[in-house]
Amino acid sequence: KVVAFKMWTCYFFYGNDALLVHRLWDTRIGYYQGKIYSYCHEKPLLQMAPKLLDAGYQLVIIKQTEEYPKNHDADKTRDIFQVLTRGTYSENPGLTYNSQFCLCIYEHGDNVGLVYFDTTTYEFYIGEFKDDENKSNLRTILTRTKPSEVIYYKKYLSEETKNVLKT
């Protein structure tokens, strides 16, 4: 996970995250009080995020939660605002429609339970079915939805199902 702190109209990255962002996005590196940092503005972040996500990282965006603290010298309260993954990132939202599904799967014997949701329209589907040894029903759902991200517990998935998900 790479953590970005939003301050004003910029996103700041610190430590190893700053070095990674510098390497992938060619941003500037700075030093302040012995700490390394890098930053970028709002618009380039959304344009450069796919590079980071394609490299297998998740982007966690932290924002200030209180509007104007009474004491400007006091510590600001910050919290996680958004987590971007390959399954949840939508390029150019509102301009075009391309379904982008995230799939959650659970298996118990022959029964397969799943939830898949479209991250562009915020619709989700819940289902359960009995599958054969060739995993035909699961393969059909994977072909139709083409999920960009699959979430599962390792201990609740057979090796055959994991192999189907890898293909």
Side-chain angles (χ1 to χ4, degrees):
K1 293 181 180 167
V2 177
V3 179
F5 292 89
K6 183 171 183 189
M7 290 183 232
W8 305 287
T9 61
C10 294
Y11 290 93
F12 285 82
F13 303 89
Y14 297 97
N16 290 335
D17 292 347
L19 295 173
L20 176 71
V21 167
H22 169 71
R23 185 172 48 92
L24 289 176
W25 297 345
D26 196 29
T27 58
R28 293 184 180 160
I29 292 284
Y31 296 95
Y32 181 71
Q33 295 181 348
K35 295 180 182 171
I36 189 170
Y37 73 92
S38 183
Y39 69 93
C40 70
H41 291 278
E42 286 177 319
K43 289 181 183 177
L45 178 81
L46 296 177
Q47 294 169 351
M48 295 185 290
K51 277 187 183 178
L52 189 68
L53 300 175
D54 289 341
Y57 295 97
Q58 296 177 352
L59 181 60
V60 178
I61 298 175
I62 308 283
K63 285 190 178 181
Q64 186 173 320
T65 55
E66 55 185 336
E67 283 296 317
Y68 299 102
K70 293 176 183 169
N71 182 359
H72 292 290
D73 295 333
D75 289 338
K76 314 276 189 287
T77 305
R78 301 188 192 289
D79 203 357
I80 294 175
F81 174 73
Q82 188 175 17
V83 178
L84 295 175
T85 65
R86 286 190 308 183
T88 60
Y89 177 74
S90 178
E91 224 174 318
N92 299 326
L95 296 178
T96 60
Y97 173 75
N98 290 325
S99 290
Q100 191 168 348
F101 289 101
C102 186
L103 173 71
C104 305
I105 187 168
Y106 172 86
E107 185 179 39
H108 183 70
D110 292 341
N111 294 327
V112 177
L114 52 84
V115 173
Y116 60 98
F117 54 95
D118 187 344
T119 59
T120 53
T121 62
Y122 306 112
E123 294 178 344
F124 68 96
Y125 308 90
I126 302 172
E128 179 183 4
F129 55 87
K130 205 173 218 82
D131 215 350
D132 58 7
E133 65 270 356
N134 295 327
K135 308 293 182 196
S136 302
N137 292 332
L138 180 60
R139 289 177 195 272
T140 301
I141 288 174
L142 290 173
T143 303
R144 286 184 179 178
T145 60
K146 295 182 181 108
S148 55
E149 186 172 3
V150 178
I151 302 168
Y152 62 89
Y153 285 111
K154 290 180 183 177
K155 66 181 183 177
Y156 293 120
L157 222 54
S158 67
E159 287 301 318
E160 298 86 23
T161 304
K162 288 179 189 175
N163 290 335
V164 169
L165 292 174
K166 288 179 184 176
T167 57

